[in-house]
Amino acid sequence: TDSISLVPYFGQPERPSLRSWVYTEFFKPNGPQDPYYGYQRIARDDRYKVIWRYALSWTPTSIEFYDLLADPFETADLWLSGPLGLEQQAAYDVLAAEIEGMVAQLP
């Protein structure tokens, strides 16, 4: 499903999540424009966050990857700091696949 209502969580914040990841998009400028001059797609799970940024392109022009447990303020981009460890690469691959899956559903 594309979306899940947040209403049940307002009354029961301890309720377990129905998803293991979250996805969002941001476009510049906001609203219907052609072309957008910039946008980003983001996926995250309990620990990691992936940001794909685009600028006048349909392929990411930059990638960011963070370990939110070790770096909650996103100051150390793992993508830029060298080769990812096995666990990090596996987490990146899962989140990247979620982004690609959402993009594949676009008209």
Side-chain angles (χ1 to χ4, degrees):
T1 62
D2 229 6
S3 62
I4 296 173
S5 175
L6 296 175
V7 172
Y9 296 96
F10 295 143
Q12 297 175 313
E14 69 285 347
R15 181 182 178 143
S17 177
L18 296 173
R19 288 198 176 150
S20 60
W21 55 274
V22 175
Y23 171 82
T24 189
E25 298 177 318
F26 175 76
F27 295 87
K28 292 180 188 177
N30 193 15
Q33 293 288 322
D34 189 25
Y36 293 104
Y37 61 80
Y39 59 99
Q40 60 190 19
R41 292 187 165 105
I42 301 167
R44 67 159 289 177
D45 60 19
D46 288 344
R47 181 166 184 179
Y48 294 102
K49 179 177 182 180
V50 172
I51 303 171
W52 287 0
R53 296 185 194 279
Y54 304 76
L56 298 175
S57 169
W58 291 109
T59 57
T61 52
S62 72
I63 296 173
E64 297 173 35
F65 183 56
Y66 299 99
D67 180 340
L68 300 173
L69 291 181
D71 179 23
F73 296 105
E74 301 174 19
T75 60
D77 184 351
L78 299 172
W79 193 258
L80 295 178
S81 64
L84 300 177
L86 293 176
E87 178 186 346
Q88 293 169 338
Q89 185 65 56
Y92 175 84
D93 292 344
V94 167
L95 292 172
E98 297 298 352
I99 293 174
E100 290 169 349
M102 296 301 289
V103 171
Q105 294 178 35
L106 296 175

